[in-house]
C-alpha cells in the first residue's frame, strides 16, 4: 500500500524553528515528486512547492520562497518542511502529497496525501 | 503566475441532482488540470487528472472536461458521500496553483 505518514501536530512559539516530516512507504520514494500544501484554518488549499527526492530539484511558490525550506532524505524515504523562525500566521495544516506518476514533469495531479500536520504558533 | 477561479463558490443540491463546477485559469494551461475532493478534517482526494481522466477507483458519476482556460467538473446523480469541497489545480507551469474551492452542501 502506498502511504505518506506525516509527523504529529506541533505547538510552537513565534520565533522558534521547526521541521516536520513526511515518510513514504510502498513506493520508490526517490522516483516521485513530493509537494507541500498549506491549509489555513477554514480556508482553501495553497500550493507551497515541490521537490524531486531523486535529485533534490526544488521549486517554491513565490509566496513561500524564503519562508520555508523543503528537503528530503531519500535513504529513509522522508521529505521535510522546515521553518527557521515561525510566525503566528504559519498556523495551519500542512500536507505532503505524492505526484500520481513518475513523469519528469508532475502534470498528473497528486494521488497520495499525508494525513496532515497541524501547526499552531502562539505566544 | 497562473490564477485559478472557481464558480460557484458554493452550491446547495439534493441527492440525485447533477452538479457542475467551473474552473477558469488566468492563462492557458492546456489540459493540465486536476480536480480534488476534500471532506472536513480529511486530506484531499484526487478525482480527475489531465482535465478528463478519471483517477483509479473514482466513481464514474464524476467527469471532467475542458482545455485551455475553462474546465468543468460534473457530478451526475449526487450521492450523500459527495457533499464536500472541490478544488481545481493547474499543473501546466510552476508554481502550481489551486482554485479557491466550491462547497457542495445539502439543500
Amino acid at each position: 500500500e502506498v502511504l505518506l505518514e506525516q509527523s504529529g501536530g506541533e505547538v510552537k512559539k513565534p520565533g522558534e524553528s521547526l521541521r516536520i516530516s513526511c515518510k513514504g512507504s510502498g513506493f520508490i520514494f526517490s522516483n516521485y515528486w513530493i509537494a507541500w500544501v498549506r491549509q489555513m484554518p477554514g480556508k482553501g488549499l495553497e500550493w507551497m512547492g515541490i521537490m524531486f527526492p531523486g535529485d533534490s530539484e526544488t521549486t517554491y511558490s513565490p509566496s513561500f520562497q524564503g519562508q520555508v525550506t523543503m528537503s528530503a532524505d531519500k535513504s529513509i524515504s522522508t521529505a521535510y518542511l522546515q521553518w527557521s523562525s515561525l510566525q503566528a500566521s504559519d498556523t495551519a495544516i500542512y500536507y505532503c502529497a505524492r505526484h500520481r506518476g513518475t513523469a519528469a514533469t508532475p502534470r498528473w495531479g497528486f494521488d497520495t496525501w499525508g494525513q496532515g500536520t497541524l501547526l499552531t504558533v502562539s505566544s | 503566475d497562473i490564477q485559478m477561479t472557481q464558480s460557484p463558490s458554493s452550491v446547495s443540491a439534493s441527492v440525485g441532482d447533477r452538479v457542475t463546477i467551473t474552473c477558469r485559469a488566468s492563462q492557458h494551461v492546456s489540459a493540465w488540470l486536476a480536480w480534488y475532493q476534500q471532506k472536513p478534517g480529511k486530506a484531499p482526494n484526487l478525482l480527475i487528472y489531465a482535465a478528463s481522466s478519471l483517477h483509479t477507483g473514482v466513481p464514474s458519476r464524476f467527469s471532467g472536461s475542458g482545455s485551455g482556460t475553462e474546465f468543468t467538473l460534473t457530478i451526475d446523480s449526487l450521492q450523500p458521500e459527495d457533499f464536500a469541497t472541490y478544488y481545481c489545480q493547474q499543473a501546466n507551469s510552476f508554481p502550481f496553483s489551486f482554485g479557491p474551492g466550491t462547497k457542495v452542501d445539502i439543500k
Side-chain angles (χ1 to χ4, degrees), chain B residues 51-87:
Chain B
S52 60
S53 296
L54 196 66
H55 181 53
T56 306
V58 175
S60 58
R61 62 181 180 274
F62 291 93
S63 63
S65 64
S67 67
T69 61
E70 187 160 330
F71 302 85
T72 59
L73 173 70
T74 300
I75 312 172
D76 282 320
S77 189
L78 198 68
Q79 297 301 298
E81 60 268 30
D82 301 336
F83 292 97
T85 300
Y86 294 84
Y87 296 92

Side-chain angles (χ1 to χ4, degrees), chain A residues 5 8 12 14 22 24 30 33 39-40 43-44 51 61-62 64 67-68 73 75 81 84-85 90-91 101 105 116:
Chain A
E5 185 71 25
K12 306 293 282 186
C22 168
S30 58
W33 291 90
Q39 189 164 39
M40 299 179 79
K43 303 299 184 183
M51 77 173 305
S61 168
F64 294 93
Q67 308 304 308
V68 297
D73 184 344
S75 70
L81 182 65
S84 59
S85 181
D90 293 319
T91 295
T105 306

Side-chain angles (χ1 to χ4, degrees), chain B residues 16-72:
Chain B
D17 284 354
R18 186 184 210 196
V19 172
T20 299
I21 300 168
T22 298
C23 173
R24 291 185 175 87
S26 62
Q27 300 174 35
H28 195 279
V29 298
S30 186
W32 303 121
L33 187 106
W35 289 96
Y36 301 85
Q37 175 194 69
Q38 187 181 32
K39 297 180 180 179
K42 299 294 186 182
N45 287 314
L46 178 65
L47 298 174
I48 302 283
Y49 64 96
S52 60
S53 296
L54 196 66
H55 181 53
T56 306
V58 175
S60 58
R61 62 181 180 274
F62 291 93
S63 63
S65 64
S67 67
T69 61
E70 187 160 330
F71 302 85
T72 59

Side-chain angles (χ1 to χ4, degrees), chain A residues 35-50:
Chain A
W36 288 93
V37 175
R38 183 175 79 173
Q39 189 164 39
M40 299 179 79
K43 303 299 184 183
L45 304 174
E46 298 176 88
W47 193 82
M48 301 177 70
I50 194 169

